[in-house]
Amino acid sequence: MKLRAFDPKEFVSALPRRPGIYRMLGAEGELLYVGKARSLKDRVGSYFNPSRVDPKIHALVKQIADIEVTVTSSETEALLLEYNLIKAHKPRFNIRLRDDKSFPYIYLHDTHEYPRLSFYRGPRNLPGRYFGPFPSAYSVKESLHQLQKLFRIRNCRDTFFANRSRPCLQHQIGRCSAPCVRLISREDYAQDIEAAVKVLEGAGNEVTAQLEARMEDASSKLEFERAARIRDQVGALKRMQAQQAVTAEGERDADVFAIVGEPGE
């Protein structure tokens, strides 16, 4: 039972200007809304700004009895934690505040000879695979950017792909393996798609092990340029995994420690 009413001004004054996620709770402790922030103080404080006129925001604010926050080491980490919490708890205001839009997905059109991963929002009735849902369009675009950079997967539309006679700028800057002009075999491209799918499924460690085995194989065959490219892939994948400190697949026991302090201490 609460000893005193929630004071938003006092609460916001104690928040840090650091990335993290916030959980807005109702009078019965129910989860109303989950959000992520680049700066917790600025983002949470914006909800209690009298100048805000959005009726949906006002409806949410009226029901807030408490707010919990988790500070993260990066905005990307906050995004992942936000995604997991929304997926697990489905807070009702996360749906209301989206203006009735469906959550976005990453879509794999796997019937194409050289498939691509793309942003998708809408009914999932097209042939292919869907990964998600993600909490925002930004999170989908950021994930696609990382995967395309890491595995050099094409991001062009099929009509553009079918009419290429030479590699585009994406290939020149090292973001695409140029399957449109067959600079990569169908088998090797399929291998890259499979690796990207495993990362989306949470099997990044398995992909890392496979890449390291391919790197050693290339070195043993004195294919040092290929080995160096794979080494760079391994390094980029490990950096990507390091950003996912707060997300975990499956249910498992965990020891969690928190420090609570008064403002200014």
Side-chain angles (χ1 to χ4, degrees):
M1 183 175 181
K2 282 188 173 295
L3 299 177
R4 57 179 178 175
F6 176 68
D7 184 341
K9 186 175 180 180
E10 180 183 349
F11 180 81
V12 171
S13 69
L15 290 175
R17 283 192 167 90
R18 292 188 55 190
I21 61 104
Y22 51 93
R23 298 173 293 279
M24 295 175 168
L25 308 174
E28 303 298 322
E30 72 276 19
L31 187 58
L32 301 174
Y33 184 77
V34 176
K36 66 99 182 168
R38 182 178 300 174
S39 166
L40 284 167
K41 180 185 285 289
D42 297 335
R43 182 68 180 122
V44 175
S46 71
Y47 285 91
F48 304 100
N49 188 334
S51 64
R52 294 203 71 152
V53 295
D54 189 328
K56 293 178 182 178
I57 296 293
H58 282 303
L60 168 61
V61 170
K62 282 182 181 179
Q63 297 185 43
I64 295 173
D66 197 7
I67 299 178
E68 297 176 347
V69 301
T70 300
V71 177
T72 59
S73 61
S74 68
E75 192 177 2
T76 302
E77 193 175 337
L79 196 64
L80 291 163
L81 182 54
E82 178 198 36
Y83 162 68
N84 280 350
L85 288 172
I86 291 173
K87 186 176 180 180
H89 301 290
K90 298 179 176 60
R92 56 193 175 96
F93 275 95
N94 280 94
I95 298 172
R96 286 189 186 180
L97 293 176
R98 296 189 63 81
D99 296 323
D100 298 325
K101 291 180 181 177
S102 59
F103 283 101
Y105 288 78
I106 288 178
Y107 173 60
L108 173 64
H109 186 194
D110 55 7
T111 58
H112 194 280
E113 184 181 11
Y114 291 93
R116 77 182 183 111
L117 295 167
S118 61
F119 177 96
Y120 182 82
R121 194 198 298 270
R124 288 176 288 162
N125 52 14
L126 296 175
R129 297 189 61 183
Y130 298 85
F131 303 92
F134 287 78
S136 66
Y138 169 81
S139 60
V140 174
K141 291 172 183 176
E142 180 64 19
S143 297
L144 285 172
H145 173 76
Q146 294 287 349
L147 291 171
Q148 286 162 351
K149 183 178 178 182
L150 188 58
F151 298 109
R152 303 175 71 203
I153 296 167
R154 74 178 179 99
N155 63 1
C156 59
R157 296 182 180 276
D158 292 349
T159 50
F160 184 84
F161 176 88
N163 292 287
R164 293 298 299 176
S165 58
R166 60 178 181 172
C168 68
L169 180 62
Q170 289 295 310
H171 173 71
Q172 295 175 31
I173 63 175
R175 298 283 178 87
C176 179
S177 53
C180 56
V181 291
R182 305 304 188 265
L183 292 187
I184 183 173
S185 69
R186 185 175 180 179
E187 292 74 21
D188 287 344
Y189 188 84
Q191 200 171 41
D192 290 335
I193 284 287
E194 182 184 4
V197 166
K198 285 182 178 178
V199 170
L200 286 169
E201 292 174 336
N205 289 335
E206 182 182 341
V207 176
T208 300
Q210 290 174 346
L211 288 173
E212 288 174 341
R214 287 165 58 187
M215 180 175 65
E216 291 177 6
D217 179 65
S219 296
S220 67
K221 296 177 179 177
L222 305 182
E223 298 174 355
F224 299 119
E225 187 175 340
R226 175 168 165 258
R229 284 199 304 269
I230 299 173
R231 178 203 60 204
D232 293 343
Q233 271 188 302
V234 171
L237 180 55
K238 286 182 176 179
R239 287 192 295 274
M240 184 177 173
Q241 289 175 296
Q243 294 179 323
Q244 302 179 10
V246 298
T247 182
E249 294 295 328
E251 296 185 7
R252 66 180 90 179
D253 292 333
D255 295 322
V256 180
F257 297 88
I259 299 175
V260 179
E262 293 299 321
E265 293 186 3

